[in-house]
Amino acid sequence: MSHTVTCRTADGVEHTFELPYANSCPVYHYDKQYKYFICITEATKDPLEYNMYLAPAHATCIEVPEPELGKVRVFDTENQAWKQVDDLSGMYYSTNPYTLGEVIDNVNPVVAPEKCN
């Protein structure tokens, strides 16, 4: 048996979908600036509307896809969809003449540091 739930995000977007269980609505959180996937939690049930769940800011009820090797899942807020982009996190070496060869540990998976390779 499936259960129909509706989730409203903080920016007012509503999604209705079927879940195999009742009284639950998963929420997929993403980074505020770069929109990469962070974690899954549960939406809060709306006390004023039946079967409505509320997602916090920087979250969606659209299920995140399985990760692809070497990719990061990023939420496209304009198209309300997840996309997979190259993972740019890792070790880089500075090409800046003043810090040439310095190791830079980039933890941002979406943006590579400047003047590095």
Side-chain angles (χ1 to χ4, degrees), residues 58-84:
H58 319 298
T60 181
C61 297
I62 298 173
E63 187 174 2
V64 67
E66 289 295 318
E68 294 177 13
L69 187 61
K71 302 284 184 177
V72 176
R73 297 161 291 180
V74 176
F75 192 66
D76 179 347
T77 54
E78 187 175 313
N79 295 312
Q80 293 292 301
W82 290 97
K83 60 184 179 179
Q84 306 242 9

Side-chain angles (χ1 to χ4, degrees), residues 29-36 38 57-58 77:
H29 298 263
Y30 51 85
D31 177 75
K32 178 180 180 178
Q33 184 175 4
Y34 297 106
K35 313 282 191 261
Y36 57 84
I38 297 174
H58 319 298
T77 54

